[in-house]
Amino acid sequence: MADWNLADARRWADRVIPDVVRLARFKYFGRWEIAVALFSLALVALLWTYSIDRARYELKQTTDTAVRQAHTLARALDVQTTTTLKNIELALELVARDYMAGKKDFQLNESLATKLIDRRMSRELAILDERGQIVLTVSKVQDADMSGREYFTTLRDTPALDLYVGKPIQSRSTQRWVIPVAHRIDGPRGEFKGVVVCGVDPSYFIDFYNREDLKQKGAITLVGTDGFVRARRAAGGDSFGQDARPLLYSKKEPTADIVYKSGIDQITYYLSYRKLANYDLIVTVGLSVDETLAEVRGRLRGYLYLSIATTTGLLAFGAAIVVVSVRRRLEQERTQNQELLRQAILDNISEIAWFKDAQSRFLAVNQALVKLCNRPLDEIIGKTDADLFPAHIAEAYKAGDVRVLLEGGSSVTEEKIALADGTTQTIETIKTRVQDVDGRVLGTVGTARDVTARLLEDKERRLAAKAFESLAEGIMVTDKDKRIVSVNKAFSTITGYAPAEVLGLFPRLLQSGRQDAAFYEAMWKDIDSTGFWHGEIWDRRKNGEIYPELLSISAVIDDGGEVSHYVGVFTDISSLKRYEERLRYQAQHDALTGLPNRFQFQERFNGMLVRANRQGTQVAVMMLDLDRFKHVNDSLGHAAGDQLLQQVAERLTCCVRKGDVVGRFGGDEFAVLLENIDSVQSTAGIAKELLNAFASPFSLSGHEIFVSSSIGISCYPADATDAEDLLKNADAAMYRAKADGRNSYKFFDADINARAMENLLISSALRLALERDELVLHYQPRVNLSTGKISGVEALVRWQHPELGLLPPLRFIPIAEETGMIEAVGEWVLKAACRQMRQWRDSGLALESVAVNLAARQFSRPDFSERIADLLEECGLEARYLELELTESMVMREPERVVQVLRELKSMGATVAIDDFGTGYSSLSYLKRFPIDFLKIDRSFIADIPDDVDDVAITSAIIAMAKSLGLQLIAEGVETQAQSDFLRRLGCDHGQGYLFSKPVLAGEIERMLRSENTNDAQAYLST
């Protein structure tokens, strides 16, 4: 616009006004133009109708999704909060019951409180008498008056209310804010005897709520029916105690989904609230309306802008079609008037010449181009390059035309042109843009001449220069006097010298000093005699660094047969040398810990033995294995296992002397070489240091865990004289240390070797034991504690070894698990127990079930359920007579899969028991999901009852929990009548142990059952 002047305006008017007149003459708005306008308007109407409907649909979908999300989350929080309160209520009920049962002797200590209530939930537990005085508490506060507390007065005045969750208060003992949860204590006649109360940390609820995804402005609130907030999580932070009564006044239904503006933070929510079924509490979940609709509102704004832009484009497009339609007629008139002029000009040019329009169509050509194309003139005019030449050549011609049309002026280019005989020539083309007097572009005019020969010579020179500069190898050219005359780019990259710094100098400035004068004399002697030398040499860079290179030197002979130049080509092989060194290191070291691997360890071991033999000294080798390393991988993952191995390697390395060797053979197996040991005592001292290195915990991905190790030691020359036997002996000693309880060290002796050989023989013989039918089942009765009668038996496998006699399961089951034969043994036990049970039932014996212990590997089979069904069908036994026992660790390993498998077993009719309950780690939330029938209390909790208070409390809690879940209980290891009587009083259903019978053969079980039928069972069992 800065260059616009009066002359430009006059020229524009002279050009446009005639066009306007012509448009009027041609009846500008004809049928075609009107149809285009109406079609454009119709598209605009359809566009806006669709956009409005889409906006309404997305708003409704987003709102419905938010309401469903809030409702679902509220229902989940309802269940979780109710479950948590039920667990607290159960714990408080147990304390109240035990307190009333043994009021004078009852002790409320922190250990008992920890067993009953999660420490993360509450650190306070107290018992108040009927006057509101604290009589027992975990904290130091005693004899405090709590009679004015709301929870005390409410429970005292409301006999029908068992549990009360109060408003947050400040604890008198810890001065921290807590939510009091109290349970009423009633006397034998229902009279009020006090309350048992625990202070629940509000953060326990808030921490749970923080795990939910409510975006930035969502809120979750636990509020009492009195209208006061117990715990709240929202954008403004965590809080409690606020007044939320307006919410309660707005809705009276127990469950509702509403749009509600909070009086606490003034945010409007899609709110879903639920009244807890058994407690005076309400859970609310609110999703911010503004935050929920923010994304869809943004999209709707985008739709609006897109619709506006599309409308503008459609209308503009319709208008453009009308204008183009009319202007095309005017262009046709101008074109016809100029054709004669173009042809006259081209006919007077001797070189190839042509004229093209703006679309690169030939409008006129001279005879030179007609001859070149070998076509008649009428087959050229109106055609484009694509019609006359191959596609790749035509595209290049077209690109040149476009460039000239856009940039203006003249363009000199070189182009390929196809000749009539099929060959091509390179022509130098000069193209110029053609404009009319008004500055409008009409097309291009061009001439061309053959430059093929000249370009070929130029190309060969450039190619040689490019190759010289582009090679990755350094190139140095010297004259016959060995002065440098040329170097390439790679030379400078490798040596650090710029070309100007070396031209005219001798190559010896690169010498490193590693090769002496004799080396260079021999090299030049070879070059002078053969004209070539190739080899590895060390040179020096400009910065002083020396490096290896692979060098080739060739002599250049001129036409007279004399040497004119020398050409040296070299490659920097530093990276290759480093790679070879790295491969050598990796072949000899463990990739994870960096310790010597088995190959390197063996080499150094052999070297130590040679020196020890020569010097008359002793050498000790230790095999070290981590105890229960598999548990770390299974529970924390293999990444944590790798961290543990790295930390173990560091600690072991710090414990040994300089010159000793620590290696890793794979997995969790390490080895230590000790050279020049003085005595067995010094070796034992080092072994103790290695064990002590495991005393402090290992930090693995945020977890602090303790891991022990077992060490086996073998000494040279006392135990063996070669490395292989010493390692084998140390390995055998290590397994003896594991068998003796782990976390210890053992020196090799002949007994260890014998035991290892015995284990090997047992492992081999076990494969034949199944074929030879050497396994036998013993059965231990399970007695109903109420009736004293046998309710079932447990099948226990023994091995009748032909040489070693009757072997207990501990002697061969671990070997079966290690060798993978446990599945075959477990299959045999299942089949034998089912067949025996079928025989008993056919004999008319009233036995409820036979219990079979399952191995983890056996239970983890994908087709386990199908296999049980096939086995029952094969044995002809109804599933209700088979009881399958699993350990806690087995069911907690893959809880989701376990639930599915147990459901399949239950659908058949089989019963399921959890064995050794209490010794593992069980989640109560999972336990109640498992479709099980029995819990077997581990014998470790039964052994000291009723004398041990802790075991009594744990056993009572397990029995109460099982009863609340509808499970039957079996107590293992019952050996005294006092234990049996105590368990019966607690409500335990069944007992199993030596008090009733040791494991016996099937015939003895049949005698017991028949004796019961004749009312002699008690007399028989007492003998």
Side-chain angles (χ1 to χ4, degrees):
M1 294 300 294
D3 298 331
W4 183 266
N5 51 39
L6 186 58
D8 294 330
R10 184 178 294 110
R11 284 195 297 272
W12 178 83
D14 292 342
R15 183 173 69 251
V16 172
I17 290 174
D19 289 345
V20 174
V21 173
R22 292 188 182 91
L23 287 175
R25 186 186 308 140
F26 294 148
K27 296 181 180 180
Y28 183 73
F29 289 100
R31 293 180 180 178
W32 164 250
E33 289 75 17
I34 293 174
V36 169
L38 292 176
F39 181 74
S40 299
L41 292 174
L43 288 178
V44 169
L46 288 174
L47 171 66
W48 281 98
T49 300
Y50 171 78
S51 298
I52 293 171
D53 289 344
R54 180 67 182 180
R56 290 174 179 168
Y57 174 79
E58 290 201 12
L59 283 172
K60 185 177 185 304
Q61 285 293 102
T62 302
T63 300
D64 292 346
T65 299
V67 170
R68 285 196 301 271
Q69 181 183 355
H71 182 84
T72 301
L73 189 54
R75 184 168 57 189
L77 296 180
D78 179 356
V79 173
Q80 180 64 31
T81 305
T82 300
T83 301
T84 300
L85 290 174
K86 283 185 178 179
N87 291 337
I88 296 174
E89 183 177 4
L90 176 60
L92 296 181
E93 184 178 347
L94 289 175
V95 173
R97 188 195 65 189
D98 292 349
Y99 169 72
M100 290 302 297
K103 194 169 182 182
K104 293 182 180 181
D105 299 330
F106 183 76
Q107 296 294 324
L108 185 61
N109 52 51
E110 187 169 352
S111 174
L112 179 58
T114 303
K115 295 176 182 178
L116 296 174
I117 301 177
D118 191 342
R119 296 279 292 172
R120 297 172 300 169
M121 181 192 304
S122 172
R123 295 178 180 270
E124 298 185 7
L125 183 65
I127 297 176
L128 281 62
D129 61 15
E130 61 270 20
R131 295 176 294 104
Q133 302 295 317
I134 295 179
V135 294
L136 289 174
T137 179
V138 175
S139 62
K140 297 181 179 180
V141 177
Q142 297 286 344
D143 301 326
D145 184 5
M146 299 293 176
S147 60
R149 293 292 193 182
E150 183 182 27
Y151 61 82
F152 179 83
T153 58
T154 301
L155 291 174
R156 182 191 63 195
D157 301 336
T158 313
L161 184 62
D162 288 333
L163 188 75
Y164 179 75
V165 182
K167 291 180 287 190
I169 61 174
Q170 193 171 21
S171 171
R172 294 185 180 181
S173 60
T174 64
Q175 302 304 311
R176 296 170 55 188
W177 285 93
V178 297
I179 297 176
V181 180
H183 189 280
R184 178 185 172 99
I185 302 176
D186 290 329
R189 294 182 298 279
E191 71 276 15
F192 178 71
K193 287 297 185 178
V195 299
V196 56
V197 60
C198 69
V200 179
D201 189 348
S203 64
Y204 183 81
F205 293 102
I206 297 173
D207 289 343
F208 172 74
Y209 299 146
N210 282 344
R211 292 197 291 269
E212 308 301 339
D213 182 14
L214 300 176
K215 299 184 180 178
Q216 296 296 321
K217 296 184 179 180
I220 292 181
T221 307
L222 178 66
V223 61
T225 55
D226 57 3
F228 289 92
V229 173
R230 298 307 191 256
R232 188 172 191 268
R233 178 255 172 159
D238 301 328
S239 59
F240 49 86
Q242 294 94 335
D243 188 353
R245 283 176 290 182
L247 170 63
L248 302 182
Y249 299 151
S250 64
K251 289 289 180 180
K252 296 301 183 180
E253 296 85 358
T255 301
D257 299 312
I258 61 175
V259 177
Y260 173 76
K261 183 173 182 180
S262 171
I264 297 175
D265 52 17
Q266 303 303 315
I267 295 176
T268 300
Y269 295 102
Y270 292 120
L271 187 74
S272 180
Y273 73 88
R274 300 178 65 87
K275 168 67 172 64
L276 270 61
N278 299 318
Y279 304 100
D280 294 334
L281 293 173
I282 298 172
V283 171
T284 72
V285 176
L287 299 178
S288 169
V289 173
D290 291 339
E291 192 171 34
T292 301
L293 298 181
E295 182 178 352
V296 69
R297 285 171 177 169
R299 288 199 302 273
L300 294 182
R301 282 193 295 270
Y303 294 158
L304 176 61
Y305 297 151
L306 180 61
S307 298
I308 293 173
T310 304
T311 298
T312 304
L314 288 172
L315 295 177
F317 178 74
I321 291 177
V322 173
V323 173
V324 169
S325 176
V326 176
R327 292 187 65 88
R328 185 175 298 162
R329 305 170 193 170
L330 303 177
E331 292 296 334
Q332 291 174 354
E333 293 182 5
R334 295 193 185 97
T335 302
Q336 295 172 358
N337 295 331
Q338 295 173 356
E339 290 180 355
L340 293 176
L341 178 61
R342 298 190 192 112
Q343 190 63 50
I345 295 172
L346 294 176
D347 286 341
N348 290 292
I349 300 175
S350 59
E351 297 175 341
I352 299 173
W354 66 89
F355 181 74
K356 296 180 181 179
D357 63 12
Q359 287 73 42
S360 292
R361 292 189 294 262
F362 286 101
L363 300 179
V365 299
N366 65 356
Q367 290 302 312
L369 183 57
V370 171
K371 181 179 179 181
L372 177 68
C373 294
N374 194 27
R375 290 175 181 234
L377 179 63
D378 58 355
E379 292 184 10
I380 299 176
I381 301 302
K383 300 294 192 296
T384 64
D385 294 313
D387 300 319
L388 305 176
F389 305 107
H392 65 285
I393 297 177
E395 289 176 1
Y397 292 166
K398 180 64 178 294
D401 293 343
V402 172
R403 185 167 55 253
V404 171
L405 290 172
L406 293 176
E407 298 175 0
S410 297
S411 172
V412 179
T413 58
E414 295 172 356
E415 298 176 332
K416 296 287 185 179
I417 188 170
L419 301 179
D421 59 2
T423 61
T424 59
Q425 285 183 347
T426 302
I427 58 173
E428 183 181 69
T429 303
I430 302 175
K431 296 181 180 179
T432 304
R433 186 172 67 182
V434 179
Q435 298 173 284
D436 62 12
V437 294
D438 296 326
R440 288 180 297 186
V441 176
L442 302 178
T444 59
V445 63
T447 60
R449 59 190 179 93
D450 184 9
V451 292
T452 304
R454 176 176 62 82
L455 290 179
L456 184 59
E457 295 175 358
D458 293 342
K459 180 180 179 180
E460 291 177 350
R461 287 193 296 269
R462 288 195 302 270
L463 183 60
K466 185 67 176 178
F468 184 76
E469 285 297 323
S470 299
L471 285 176
E473 293 83 3
I475 300 176
M476 176 176 59
V477 182
T478 70
D479 59 18
K480 62 180 180 179
D481 298 324
K482 303 182 182 64
R483 291 183 181 273
I484 300 173
V485 297
S486 180
V487 295
N488 69 345
K489 183 178 180 180
F491 174 92
S492 299
T493 301
I494 296 173
T495 66
Y497 287 101
E501 295 177 300
V502 297
L503 295 179
L505 302 180
F506 293 99
R508 59 173 171 265
L509 86 158
L510 300 175
Q511 291 181 6
S512 65
R514 281 203 175 191
Q515 285 82 24
D516 55 15
F519 172 84
Y520 290 105
E521 288 178 4
M523 181 185 74
W524 282 108
K525 183 177 180 181
D526 288 346
I527 296 172
D528 291 340
S529 60
T530 64
F532 178 77
W533 182 87
H534 177 78
E536 186 176 311
I537 192 172
W538 287 77
D539 270 352
R540 187 182 302 276
R541 307 186 204 275
K542 181 180 178 180
N543 61 8
E545 176 190 355
I546 61 174
Y547 65 95
E549 67 180 33
L550 199 61
L551 174 63
S552 298
I553 301 178
S554 301
V556 180
I557 310 298
D558 61 16
D559 295 337
E562 299 292 332
V563 175
S564 63
H565 296 84
Y566 294 98
V567 178
V569 180
F570 60 94
T571 302
D572 185 354
I573 58 174
S574 300
S575 59
L576 179 60
K577 291 288 186 181
R578 289 192 296 269
Y579 179 68
E580 290 175 350
E581 184 63 29
R582 186 164 63 252
L583 287 180
R584 188 178 300 109
Y585 180 85
Q586 291 174 350
Q588 298 177 349
H589 291 79
D590 175 49
L592 180 63
T593 63
L595 297 176
N597 59 13
R598 184 183 293 272
F599 174 77
Q600 174 69 358
F601 190 90
Q602 191 84 24
E603 280 194 348
R604 298 182 67 173
F605 196 2
N606 290 331
M608 278 191 185
L609 293 179
V610 170
R611 291 192 297 273
N613 182 53
R614 184 170 59 248
Q615 300 169 4
T617 57
Q618 299 184 68
V619 174
V621 60
M622 298 181 178
M623 294 298 296
L624 183 148
D625 188 86
L626 304 185
D627 298 332
R628 299 182 177 88
F629 175 72
K630 185 176 183 296
H631 292 180
V632 177
N633 277 338
D634 291 345
S635 57
L636 300 181
H638 289 278
D642 290 346
Q643 291 182 28
L644 175 60
L645 293 175
Q646 291 170 337
Q647 294 180 31
V648 167
E650 294 176 2
R651 295 190 186 185
L652 294 180
T653 304
C654 293
C655 291
V656 300
R657 307 163 302 176
K658 185 178 181 180
D660 294 338
V661 180
V662 178
R664 179 182 175 226
F665 285 4
D668 60 332
E669 189 177 29
F670 293 84
V672 180
L673 279 178
L674 305 177
E675 191 172 17
N676 297 325
I677 59 173
D678 300 329
S679 62
V680 172
Q681 290 76 12
S682 63
T683 306
I686 296 176
K688 291 177 182 178
E689 289 184 19
L690 295 178
L691 292 176
N692 290 336
F694 292 82
S696 57
F698 293 85
S699 179
L700 307 178
S701 302
H703 299 274
E704 297 286 333
I705 70 165
F706 288 88
V707 175
S708 61
S709 65
S710 301
I711 301 175
I713 308 170
S714 178
C715 298
Y716 168 88
D719 297 326
T721 57
D722 64 89
E724 183 177 352
D725 288 342
L726 287 167
L727 285 171
K728 181 186 70 176
N729 293 340
D731 198 54
M734 179 195 71
Y735 279 105
R736 180 61 178 272
K738 281 187 174 292
D740 288 349
R742 308 176 188 268
N743 194 26
S744 63
Y745 66 89
K746 291 290 181 184
F747 283 90
F748 173 78
D749 58 34
D751 180 62
I752 290 178
N753 196 36
R755 176 59 65 91
M757 184 60 66
E758 182 181 335
N759 286 342
L760 180 61
L761 294 175
I762 288 177
S763 175
S764 301
L766 186 58
R767 300 182 183 276
L768 299 175
L770 291 169
E771 301 174 6
R772 297 173 179 174
D773 201 21
E774 294 176 357
L775 297 183
V776 63
L777 286 183
H778 286 199
Y779 300 89
Q780 187 172 31
R782 183 176 71 204
V783 174
N784 187 306
L785 295 180
S786 297
T787 64
K789 292 185 176 296
I790 297 175
S791 58
V793 295
E794 180 179 1
L796 302 170
V797 66
R798 304 290 190 267
W799 182 4
Q800 189 64 52
H801 195 280
E803 298 175 2
L804 302 177
L806 187 65
L807 298 181
L810 287 177
R811 193 68 188 90
F812 63 89
I813 290 298
I815 297 175
E817 291 177 339
E818 183 179 340
T819 59
M821 290 195 63
I822 191 64
E823 286 191 56
V825 173
E827 188 85 0
W828 183 91
V829 171
L830 268 171
K831 185 176 294 185
C834 289
R835 286 176 175 171
Q836 182 60 57
M837 187 65 185
R838 172 63 189 273
Q839 292 179 13
W840 284 332
R841 295 300 303 179
D842 291 346
S843 300
L845 298 178
L847 190 63
E848 295 179 7
S849 64
V850 59
V852 179
N853 292 281
L854 296 178
R857 194 165 184 173
Q858 183 182 12
F859 183 70
S860 63
R861 287 183 50 168
D863 61 343
F864 178 74
S865 300
E866 293 83 352
R867 182 64 192 127
I868 292 296
D870 294 342
L871 187 145
L872 290 170
E873 183 178 358
E874 178 185 345
C875 297
L877 182 68
E878 295 181 41
R880 61 194 178 100
Y881 296 121
L882 176 63
E883 177 184 318
L884 300 172
E885 294 190 3
L886 299 87
T887 63
E888 283 184 275
S889 59
M890 288 168 60
V891 299
M892 293 307 300
R893 186 171 301 169
E894 297 180 278
E896 297 302 329
R897 176 187 171 274
V898 169
V899 168
Q900 179 62 31
V901 174
L902 294 185
R903 286 175 179 168
E904 294 171 357
L905 295 174
K906 292 291 290 181
S907 67
M908 300 178 197
T911 56
V912 179
I914 301 298
D915 197 10
D916 300 334
F917 184 76
T919 60
Y921 175 79
S922 294
S923 169
L924 293 180
S925 62
Y926 275 114
L927 189 60
K928 68 180 183 180
R929 292 178 54 197
F930 293 143
I932 59 178
D933 303 280
F934 296 94
L935 285 184
K936 298 191 73 173
I937 306 174
D938 187 70
R939 65 182 63 249
S940 62
F941 300 123
I942 305 300
D944 295 327
I945 64 171
D947 300 321
D948 188 283
V949 176
D950 290 337
D951 284 346
V952 167
I954 293 173
T955 304
S956 301
I958 292 175
I959 294 174
M961 178 198 67
K963 292 299 182 183
S964 68
L965 295 175
L967 304 177
Q968 293 194 58
L969 281 148
I970 303 171
E972 295 182 300
V974 180
E975 298 183 357
T976 67
Q977 190 62 43
Q979 293 172 345
S980 175
D981 295 341
F982 180 80
L983 290 168
R984 185 176 62 256
R985 288 196 299 272
L986 286 180
C988 184
D989 303 288
H990 306 275
Q992 181 179 337
Y994 277 28
L995 173 65
F996 309 111
S997 173
K998 64 181 181 179
V1000 295
L1001 292 171
E1004 288 296 310
I1005 295 295
E1006 184 172 349
R1007 281 183 51 194
M1008 292 180 189
L1009 292 172
R1010 296 193 183 282
S1011 178
E1012 280 187 348
N1013 292 337
T1014 58
N1015 297 321
D1016 292 333
Q1018 294 298 326
Y1020 179 85
L1021 291 175
S1022 64
T1023 60

